[in-house]
Amino acid sequence: MSNMQDTLTRVLARHAGRALPIRSTSSLSADPSSAIGIATIKIVTEEQIQAIAFGSLGRAPNLIARLDPIGRDVTDLLPFARFLIEAIEHALEHEGELRIWVPHGETMAALDVLGHRYWRNQNASPEIVRMGEICRILAHEAIFAGQQVIADSAQLLRDHAITGQTPIEDGHPDAMLAWFDRAVTDPVTEARQRSRFPASGILVNTPDRRDDDRIEKLRKEAKGGLTAGRLSAVQGEIRRVLSAGVQREWDLMVAARAAFWGLGLPTTGLDTLIDLSRKRLSAALMQGHFPARRADRVAIELDELDSAQRVTEQSMLEADGAARLRAKRAGAVIAGHVLARNQPKRGRHPCSIDVETDQTVVRTRRDDKVVVVGTNVSGVVRDIAVAPSGGIRVRIEIMNGVRSTATLDAGTRIEIMEQAGAYVRTREFSQAAARGVWMFFGDTPPALAPGTWRRGSPLAIARRSRRP
Amino acid sequence: MNDRARTSQDADQVMDEAIDRALHGDTPLVIVNSPPGAGKTYLVECAAIAAAVGAGMRVICLTPGVVQAYDIAERLLAYNLPRLELVHAKHRETPARLSGRLTVSNGWGGALNNGPGVIVANAHVIAAYRNQLPSGSFDLLIVDEAYQLAANNFLPVADLAPRALMVGDPGQLPPVTSVDTSNFEAHAHPVHWALPTYLLKRFPRTPVYSLPSTRRLLPDTARVVQKAFYPDLSFASVVDPASRRLRFDVSGIHARLDPALDALASGASIVAVVLPGASPAHEETDPELAAVMAGLVERILVRQGTWVGTRRLGQGDIGCIDPNVLTGGAVSDRLRRAGLRDVRVDTVERWQGLEVPIAIVRHPLSRVGDPEPFDLQAGRWCVSLSRHQIGCIIVGRGSVDDVLREYVHPCDTAAAGGRDDVWSGFQAHCSIWAELQLRGRIFRMGNDS
Amino acid sequence: MSLKGATALVRLAQNPRCEVLGAMVMQEGPETRFFERVVGTPYDREYGERQSSKRRGTQFERNAYAGDARLLREALAPMVGLQPDDIRVRNLLDDYPGTKDDARVARLRITRRLLADSLAGRAAPHLIIQPQLLVPTKPGPRPYFFIAPDVLVWMQQFGLYVPADLKSFVVRENEVSRADLARVRLQLGAQSLALMHEYDHVSGGKTVVPATGLLIFSHPNGLRPHAPRTEDLRGAREAVRLGIEAFLRHRRRIDGLRAGAEPYTVTTDLVPHFEEACLAQCVMSEWCRSSVAGRTRDLGDSAGQLLGNIELARVTGLLLGTTMAASDAEQAIAAELQRIANEYGVRAA
């Protein structure tokens, strides 16, 4: 969407008093029945989770309020660990099917830090260690474009709709939700009021409600010798404040999820992304999480990220007409009609088609691999020329789908885009690592014996070798 | 001997030393930094020939993309080589200009690489066939345009030879990546970096040679470009301005466009034409600016622009460089409507590695709103301003002055630990614009335009 | 928390055109007090550092400085170019602890002496913990800004000190939010400028201070420092310098208006420069926002730039057809608005 379109849509949303969808399809597939939710409250900068809400969607969550999150005793996290392990076991039994809703990206960051702390912790129980590993795996999956496991409810709303407030205000999930709530008659004012309290996985700490400072003080008090009665009261208050805080985060997530599905966007065209996501997740859960440290592992990770990005873009272009329209203007999609089909034997190779478009911007180049949108037809661009009509003519050698009649017949209107390469060079990079290539795996360059071949000025040798 | 000749000789000396060290020295890796138009592809040719012919080596020349491989292959055809082979991907067709002139293989074939000679290929295709190529299959590995090749794309092929020579321009666009690489910026192995940059981080004592001259850029362009984009690479032009003169056989009568063209003809190699005001916010392209760019092309041809001593300039001698696909499309459209279909209009990325007598460049800051990191990226501006052999005309809006004056650097454009290329680009923009202003090279069109 | 030191310079660097910000920097006392005095009601949103953050920050520093800064020496050894055990450390808080001005001045004197020693080739510590620097802005209120990097690190590469800041927020691989990155870089930029001033002071302007600083984040586990990030501060230093220039201009204007009264008293005569980013960091943001109420800038910076900060009512009028377009641009905007409205089924012309 261009900046001007974004702005005008924002104006319209302000005028209409509601959020407006900006995509025609959903980037998230339908929730499986096993979808769960996680919300957290952390201690600011400490990045320690002090409260967790978790459970199946549609039911009240389980709440854990941690009395001493910085302490070594983590038995209070066991219910969450077991829940997570159970969810993962279900996923493994169902080919990686897993959906976890979170209120916002800060939740994933908090879970990742939790993961960092416990996944190799030799003092923690096996369940806690496994919980840590799962958290790291989930946080890693969340960075892949098109992944279908983690549903960041706030980000989903931002990606699929525009509100009538500033983009920075959309960073506050509760403020954003004011624009999705039909019961709110003045979302401008309502959103600004809601933004008074944070919605980023931390406790409120306004002058009239210093929950965070209060908890800090209560914890300190709890550490000094108190009577049993006083200790119980202090702990009770800590639990109350934390539970209320994390319940609020959970409620925000539930509301955001409802708002997202309330947009009614079709969930089509996501099979490839679902498949990739599940495979990645299953592999990580079975083999373990190993952060990339060596050059080959970093290279593999970059390829995986790049591949996910390409496949996601292609999926989106195929599924979303609005996105395709924008890509057409930028020349990344060519919309035209088949001018001629050159196929000596029907249904067989060789086969090529000439496609003519009136687009003035075309980004395709000779030898690019392309697909015809919405079909199984793919090929290679062999020629691009200016057509007599003033448009552009593209010749495509068909590699797959030579039997397609409807698509390849003259007169058919088609859309063409570059074929996304999804290949990850795991084998190539791993083999390079096995060979111990010095440039990437050595500490010092090897010393070579100086060459003993005939020397002379290389430029002079080249000049002498020049053909007359 | 005059300065030009001396610098040329210095360049030849640097090339000789670099190649000699790569072929015969005791270090396995030599890097050559080359400013634009310094003759790095000539260096690659000479290295390949000296290795194959002079030292009987099996040489592989790798490039980031296949188009560069075709170019090198074509240039090597000018030499007597014991063997010259080109390898490209299975689905590719050999370009007509190479067809039948050398051995071309779609994919790796067993009959290739027998005895001294040269194979030319892009890195990806060789990586795909590594299982057929053991380590040390070659004696020398040459990488052309090394700064356009990300280190990860070189990893699978890095041990094809015990010796490597890498040649590239450090001032141009870095390798393109679509993913967020912030997490890798402070990593021990930032393999998304340009290959030489990555290797120099790991092995800072790697011998680096710097070509001291440019054979493409005229002296006054070279001064501007070197100062703005190559603080660590000193170079001068060895071009004799007399060999790059532009003459118009028809006098200028167009008050808006001709003064800038006349300035080119009188020896200014970079000038700017500035339209008043700002780009229209309600339009995705700036039709007025596109019209001016197309208009300049037309004026050059109508006025019978001539490269003195060489040829009358044709459509193929003028190139339009636009950082943005859509706005470039508007220029193409104008040119097409004027019957000028053979003028190349393309983005900066696609202009990398190419040169053209006259370049017409849209100023990237001629846009509505605050400049984005994309607009300010130093490498993009460097490539735009270093394609021309005779003259470059920057076309922009008056709002460029406001943007440069009021810019507030957000300080969040580089990942933690990363180099701030956006700031470098902003500084380059400021220094170049100031230089043009100082020299009276900015031609401002009136409001009646 | 009042706007002083590097915090003030960072804010000025981020929004140099805002005169209200200039008044806040001039005014003694916390920002929230400024708000109360101008707006007339207490500030009801969260402001300032939480107790939990202060605690962690203090602990991180304590850990880093413990044992003669053992963890810091290990982390910074590659930059200093020595083995950790060979790195000399001087903690100026040991000499003059506290934040009172006389302690700061004492630390400033020591810092200057150490810089001079280092330049002269005399023995000097490789790490100076809690040094004190200064950026002068006299004459006038706020004649200087005290700037206190966490550490000055002598870098072998330059043969000079560079500022280093310890940031206790957790960084896993290299994720640092853009807002945090901008802020910490500008802090380092302010420190680097202040260091330039101090080096000028001791060397008569002969020292070229590199535009480099170091950021030391915390690992997720415990309070161990990450490997330091070397930061390119060219842009940040210039942004701070421009911020200071802007402050001097604002100060002149405010002094001219207030005639001796407190700066907050002339706030209504000042020109705010409201930007979206203000909403995330400035107590006066909603007050300044009223200057763009009912205008396109109320929808964000981009909207204001693209539509020219006209009245929203006018834009709505174009949509509904009740306002005549006054230019080609408005005609195009009206047409596009109506097209989008039709797509969404929203009432239009």
Side-chain angles (χ1 to χ4, degrees):
Chain A
M1 184 174 259
S2 72
N3 285 345
M4 181 55 94
Q5 281 183 319
D6 181 290
T7 292
L8 293 183
T9 309
R10 212 168 275 278
V11 167
L12 195 63
R14 174 72 71 99
H15 167 72
R18 58 181 168 93
L20 300 172
I22 52 172
R23 283 185 55 139
S24 54
T25 56
S26 167
S27 66
L28 189 73
S29 60
D31 280 338
S33 55
S34 54
I36 61 174
I38 301 175
T40 58
I41 292 280
K42 70 175 185 190
I43 305 177
V44 173
T45 69
E46 200 71 59
E47 305 294 336
Q48 278 283 13
I49 291 177
Q50 52 180 337
I52 309 180
F54 59 94
S56 300
L57 296 167
R59 285 190 240 158
N62 303 295
L63 304 181
I64 296 176
R66 308 193 68 203
L67 294 174
D68 184 15
I70 307 175
R72 288 183 186 280
D73 182 4
V74 292
T75 48
D76 56 345
L77 287 177
L78 277 171
F80 175 65
R82 287 173 187 143
F83 168 79
L84 210 53
I85 291 167
E86 200 183 303
I88 292 312
E89 278 166 8
H90 178 273
L92 285 170
E93 284 160 19
H94 292 81
E95 292 170 337
E97 175 194 275
L98 180 63
R99 170 67 47 78
I100 303 178
W101 280 83
V102 295
H104 39 62
E106 281 83 358
T107 313
M108 285 319 301
L111 290 174
D112 195 26
V113 173
L114 185 72
H116 267 277
R117 292 206 162 113
Y118 295 109
W119 76 311
R120 296 283 188 260
N121 192 321
Q122 289 169 351
N123 296 323
S125 68
E127 284 160 311
I128 295 291
V129 170
R130 182 64 176 151
M131 172 201 74
E133 193 174 48
I134 293 168
C135 285
R136 293 220 62 194
I137 289 168
L138 293 174
H140 188 66
E141 175 61 18
I143 68 173
F144 284 90
Q147 60 83 26
Q148 299 291 309
V149 175
I150 306 296
D152 176 337
S153 59
Q155 191 61 49
L156 283 166
L157 287 179
R158 281 190 290 267
D159 288 343
H160 291 75
I162 270 188
T163 69
Q165 58 186 7
T166 65
I168 207 171
E169 288 170 303
D170 282 344
H172 190 292
D174 203 11
M176 198 170 42
L177 278 171
W179 293 88
F180 290 84
D181 187 349
R182 297 283 183 151
V184 171
T185 52
D186 179 4
V188 175
T189 307
E190 177 69 16
R192 291 180 196 184
Q193 273 167 7
R194 290 184 186 190
S195 68
R196 201 165 79 83
F197 291 160
S200 54
I202 58 177
L203 286 177
V204 174
N205 212 49
T206 52
D208 58 324
R209 245 186 81 180
R210 291 209 179 275
D211 289 357
D212 195 274
D213 286 350
R214 177 99 188 110
I215 292 289
E216 188 78 3
K217 196 172 166 199
L218 287 171
R219 283 202 177 110
K220 215 173 173 176
E221 194 186 335
K223 287 200 168 114
L226 296 180
T227 63
R230 179 63 194 147
L231 182 62
S232 173
V234 164
Q235 288 177 340
E237 192 178 345
I238 291 174
R239 285 196 183 96
R240 255 191 318 276
V241 173
L242 289 178
S243 298
V246 79
Q247 180 71 55
R248 179 169 169 265
E249 287 281 315
W250 175 272
D251 293 341
L252 272 175
M253 176 195 73
V254 167
R257 175 174 176 259
F260 175 72
W261 290 128
L263 292 171
L265 299 173
T267 56
T268 48
L270 296 167
D271 291 343
T272 309
L273 300 181
I274 295 169
D275 191 48
L276 278 174
S277 204
R278 287 188 185 182
K279 281 192 174 126
R280 266 195 313 260
L281 184 69
S282 298
L285 289 172
M286 287 192 294
Q287 295 159 21
H289 177 65
F290 300 96
R293 295 284 170 249
R294 281 197 332 231
D296 58 316
R297 301 302 310 175
V298 178
I300 291 169
E301 186 167 327
L302 279 169
D303 259 18
E304 287 171 342
L305 289 167
D306 185 59
S307 163
Q309 182 74 39
R310 288 171 194 269
V311 170
T312 302
E313 275 165 11
Q314 181 167 334
S315 292
M316 185 176 73
L317 286 178
E318 279 178 341
D320 194 309
R324 228 167 29 246
L325 193 62
R326 290 193 292 273
K328 238 173 49 180
R329 284 211 306 276
V333 168
I334 303 172
H337 66 276
V338 179
L339 204 62
R341 175 193 193 138
N342 313 302
Q343 191 175 31
K345 251 188 170 167
R346 194 85 176 165
R348 311 276 223 164
H349 291 286
C351 174
S352 70
I353 56 174
D354 289 345
V355 178
E356 192 162 305
T357 176
D358 57 8
Q359 281 172 232
T360 52
V361 178
V362 159
R363 299 291 286 161
T364 314
R365 286 190 284 194
R366 203 160 286 158
D367 287 343
D368 276 356
K369 292 183 183 173
V370 293
V371 295
V372 177
V373 175
T375 74
N376 68 339
V377 177
S378 63
V380 179
V381 173
R382 292 302 184 202
D383 193 39
I384 304 168
V386 177
S389 60
I392 293 173
R393 191 172 293 177
V394 181
R395 173 161 294 174
I396 301 171
E397 181 185 342
I398 304 298
M399 299 302 191
N400 288 310
V402 293
R403 292 202 195 115
S404 298
T405 46
T407 306
L408 303 181
D409 278 343
T412 313
R413 290 209 67 82
I414 62 173
E415 289 175 315
I416 303 160
M417 62 185 188
E418 199 179 338
Q419 189 171 40
Y423 182 64
V424 175
R425 294 169 286 179
T426 309
R427 180 176 53 93
E428 288 86 336
F429 293 139
S430 301
Q431 285 174 351
R435 295 193 302 270
V437 176
W438 73 264
M439 288 187 197
F440 293 86
F441 304 101
D443 291 326
T444 48
L448 300 181
T452 54
W453 289 296
R454 188 187 71 227
R455 299 192 193 200
S457 156
L459 297 196
I461 295 171
R463 274 193 294 272
R464 285 197 297 273
S465 302
R466 223 179 154 82
R467 291 185 205 274
Chain B
M1 187 190 296
N2 64 24
D3 284 344
R4 247 192 333 272
R6 200 168 297 121
T7 312
S8 255
Q9 217 175 38
D10 291 341
D12 285 353
Q13 195 177 344
V14 170
M15 287 197 198
D16 260 335
E17 281 174 16
I19 298 172
D20 195 63
R21 192 150 182 200
L23 268 57
H24 306 296
D26 60 358
T27 52
L29 172 63
V30 170
I31 292 173
V32 179
N33 283 342
S34 162
K40 61 178 168 305
T41 309
Y42 174 64
L43 187 159
V44 166
E45 286 167 38
C46 292
I49 304 301
V53 174
M57 288 182 170
R58 298 163 303 162
V59 181
I60 181 161
C61 285
L62 291 179
T63 60
V66 72
V67 169
Q68 293 132 334
Y70 294 150
D71 286 344
I72 291 184
E74 187 174 17
R75 289 173 72 134
L76 288 173
L77 283 168
Y79 298 86
N80 282 314
L81 274 165
R83 171 177 59 78
L84 173 62
E85 291 154 340
L86 170 73
V87 178
H88 61 183
K90 280 209 159 104
H91 70 281
R92 295 200 181 276
E93 285 184 344
T94 308
R97 68 184 196 276
L98 297 177
S99 201
R101 298 175 68 195
L102 77 164
T103 304
V104 179
S105 178
N106 285 70
W108 187 263
L112 298 170
N113 197 29
N114 277 319
V118 181
I119 288 192
V120 182
N122 63 302
H124 272 97
V125 73
I126 296 297
Y129 291 94
R130 258 324 295 263
N131 54 346
Q132 297 181 40
L133 287 165
S135 300
S137 291
F138 300 88
D139 303 302
L140 174 69
L141 189 161
I142 303 175
V143 182
D144 189 21
E145 300 287 11
Y147 282 92
Q148 290 178 39
L149 185 66
N152 61 335
N153 290 325
F154 183 71
L155 170 53
V157 298
D159 59 334
L160 279 175
R163 295 175 177 278
L165 169 66
M166 298 182 184
V167 187
D169 182 343
Q172 300 203 1
L173 282 168
V176 173
T177 173
S178 62
V179 300
D180 180 0
T181 52
S182 312
N183 271 4
F184 302 104
E185 211 51 52
H187 202 283
H189 290 282
V191 294
H192 60 289
W193 284 6
L195 177 61
T197 313
Y198 169 82
L199 290 172
L200 285 170
K201 170 183 147 78
R202 293 206 76 224
F203 308 105
R205 294 217 189 103
T206 301
V208 177
Y209 291 83
S210 300
L211 296 182
S213 61
T214 171
R215 295 167 209 254
R216 176 192 310 148
L217 306 180
L218 281 158
D220 85 337
T221 293
R223 271 193 300 273
V224 164
V225 165
Q226 192 274 317
K227 187 174 148 201
F229 302 110
Y230 296 90
D232 300 327
L233 175 55
S234 178
F235 65 89
S237 169
V238 294
V239 176
D240 178 1
S243 67
R244 301 281 184 89
R245 279 182 30 235
L246 175 66
R247 184 187 72 229
F248 290 108
D249 293 333
V250 175
S251 312
I253 53 164
H254 197 299
R256 295 162 64 224
L257 302 180
D258 284 337
L261 297 180
D262 291 336
L264 285 191
S266 57
S269 65
I270 303 183
V271 299
V273 171
V274 173
L275 286 79
S279 284
H282 61 285
E283 309 240 28
E284 268 184 328
T285 67
D286 185 342
E288 226 187 324
L289 201 147
V292 167
M293 288 179 72
L296 284 164
V297 173
E298 284 184 277
R299 289 302 296 159
I300 291 168
L301 297 170
V302 160
R303 291 185 61 187
Q304 295 174 18
T306 299
W307 182 341
V308 176
T310 305
R311 61 178 179 274
R312 169 75 54 82
L313 294 178
Q315 291 184 41
D317 293 316
I318 308 171
C320 292
I321 305 176
D322 196 311
N324 184 278
V325 170
L326 282 176
T327 46
V331 178
S332 288
D333 205 33
R334 288 266 175 180
L335 289 169
R336 228 189 323 268
R337 281 192 260 150
L340 300 172
R341 297 174 194 283
D342 294 332
V343 176
R344 183 179 179 137
V345 182
D346 231 328
T347 57
V348 179
E349 284 80 356
R350 297 211 173 159
W351 271 105
Q352 273 202 127
L354 303 179
E355 60 184 19
V356 69
I358 308 280
I360 300 173
V361 176
R362 189 172 73 82
H363 198 302
L365 303 186
S366 292
R367 62 189 295 284
V368 184
D370 294 331
E372 302 277 319
F374 177 92
D375 305 318
L376 287 170
Q377 198 178 9
R380 184 160 282 106
W381 200 215
C382 176
V383 170
S384 301
L385 298 183
S386 58
R387 303 299 100 201
H388 59 281
Q389 295 159 296
I390 300 176
C392 171
I393 310 164
I394 303 168
V395 183
R397 284 280 184 180
S399 54
V400 167
D401 299 302
D402 300 330
V403 168
L404 292 176
R405 192 179 47 245
E406 292 166 7
Y407 178 66
V408 175
H409 190 56
C411 298
D412 62 358
T413 47
R419 187 176 155 79
D420 196 347
D421 275 335
V422 172
W423 179 254
S424 299
F426 172 71
Q427 285 195 303
H429 272 287
C430 287
S431 76
I432 288 169
W433 205 242
E435 176 87 11
L436 292 176
Q437 267 166 343
L438 192 68
R439 297 213 202 169
R441 302 265 186 100
I442 297 181
F443 297 88
R444 296 183 188 269
M445 295 169 66
N447 280 317
D448 58 283
S449 61
Chain C
M1 194 164 113
S2 55
L3 266 186
K4 49 188 185 184
T7 307
L9 294 182
V10 167
R11 293 279 297 279
L12 288 165
Q14 290 175 317
N15 195 354
R17 302 223 288 251
C18 186
E19 292 183 347
V20 174
L21 180 58
M24 267 206 297
V25 171
M26 285 174 71
Q27 184 71 53
E28 291 293 332
E31 283 181 69
T32 45
R33 181 91 179 100
F34 184 94
F35 174 90
E36 274 176 35
R37 288 161 116 180
V38 171
V39 176
T41 56
Y43 187 68
D44 65 352
R45 291 175 180 245
E46 178 174 352
Y47 196 78
E49 208 179 3
R50 296 182 174 206
Q51 292 302 318
S52 52
S53 308
K54 281 186 193 156
R55 177 173 48 75
R56 177 172 172 93
T58 309
Q59 232 173 315
F60 185 50
E61 283 183 11
R62 206 181 299 134
N63 268 27
Y65 302 154
D68 200 26
R70 183 180 62 82
L71 289 175
L72 271 188
R73 282 186 282 122
E74 284 168 2
L76 292 165
M79 275 87 189
V80 179
L82 293 172
Q83 291 298 313
D85 286 342
D86 297 329
I87 295 176
R88 292 189 295 273
V89 179
R90 173 97 179 256
N91 188 336
L92 300 196
L93 283 179
D94 292 341
D95 299 271
Y96 293 99
T99 55
K100 295 245 184 313
D101 273 7
D102 48 2
R104 288 192 199 270
V105 170
R107 290 200 296 270
L108 175 64
R109 288 204 187 102
I110 300 176
T111 304
R112 286 177 175 172
R113 205 171 59 236
L114 293 174
L115 292 181
D117 285 344
S118 169
L119 282 179
R122 294 189 287 271
H126 303 102
L127 304 183
I128 306 174
I129 294 175
Q130 292 295 324
Q132 188 64 58
L133 308 170
L134 186 145
V135 168
T137 51
K138 54 185 178 187
R142 286 256 186 254
Y144 51 79
F145 288 88
F146 271 130
I147 305 291
D150 289 327
V151 191
L152 285 179
V153 179
W154 187 90
M155 277 185 77
Q156 182 187 45
Q157 180 185 355
F158 306 114
L160 293 171
Y161 290 99
V162 302
D165 238 28
L166 274 63
K167 293 297 167 198
S168 62
F169 48 86
V170 166
V171 170
R172 292 159 279 149
E173 300 296 329
N174 203 39
E175 314 87 344
V176 186
S177 80
R178 288 179 68 158
D180 282 337
L181 258 184
R183 184 175 48 82
V184 300
R185 278 192 182 126
L186 285 168
Q187 274 175 355
L188 278 179
Q191 292 164 11
S192 185
L193 264 185
L195 186 59
M196 279 170 71
H197 172 256
E198 296 305 332
Y199 264 120
D200 279 352
H201 190 85
V202 300
S203 72
K206 295 196 195 100
T207 311
V208 177
V209 176
T212 297
L214 301 171
L215 282 173
I216 304 169
F217 298 113
S218 168
H219 265 289
N221 295 331
L223 284 161
R224 289 183 299 116
H226 250 294
R229 274 38 171 175
T230 306
E231 291 299 315
D232 178 353
L233 297 180
R234 292 170 299 145
R237 219 158 64 170
E238 180 63 9
V240 174
R241 194 191 65 75
L242 290 173
I244 293 171
E245 261 182 23
F247 172 67
L248 297 178
R249 277 196 310 274
H250 299 328
R251 190 172 66 182
R252 275 194 296 276
R253 175 162 147 76
I254 293 165
D255 275 344
L257 285 170
R258 69 192 180 105
E262 291 200 63
Y264 82 89
T265 58
V266 299
T267 306
T268 48
D269 298 319
L270 301 178
V271 179
H273 187 255
F274 173 75
E275 296 176 330
E276 254 179 87
C278 299
L279 292 169
Q281 63 188 13
C282 186
V283 298
M284 296 299 292
S285 58
E286 285 295 342
W287 188 86
C288 294
R289 191 176 192 173
S290 60
S291 68
V292 301
R295 307 189 83 87
T296 51
R297 271 189 49 204
D298 195 52
L299 286 173
D301 300 340
S302 187
Q305 285 163 357
L306 290 172
L307 297 177
N309 201 31
I310 57 176
E311 285 181 11
L312 273 172
R314 183 169 182 83
V315 185
T316 309
L318 290 171
L319 163 67
L320 296 173
T322 55
T323 299
M324 283 284 290
S327 64
D328 290 345
E330 285 199 347
Q331 228 163 32
I333 288 167
E336 183 65 7
L337 262 176
Q338 285 159 20
R339 185 192 69 76
I340 298 173
N342 286 336
E343 265 182 24
Y344 285 112
V346 174
R347 187 175 73 95

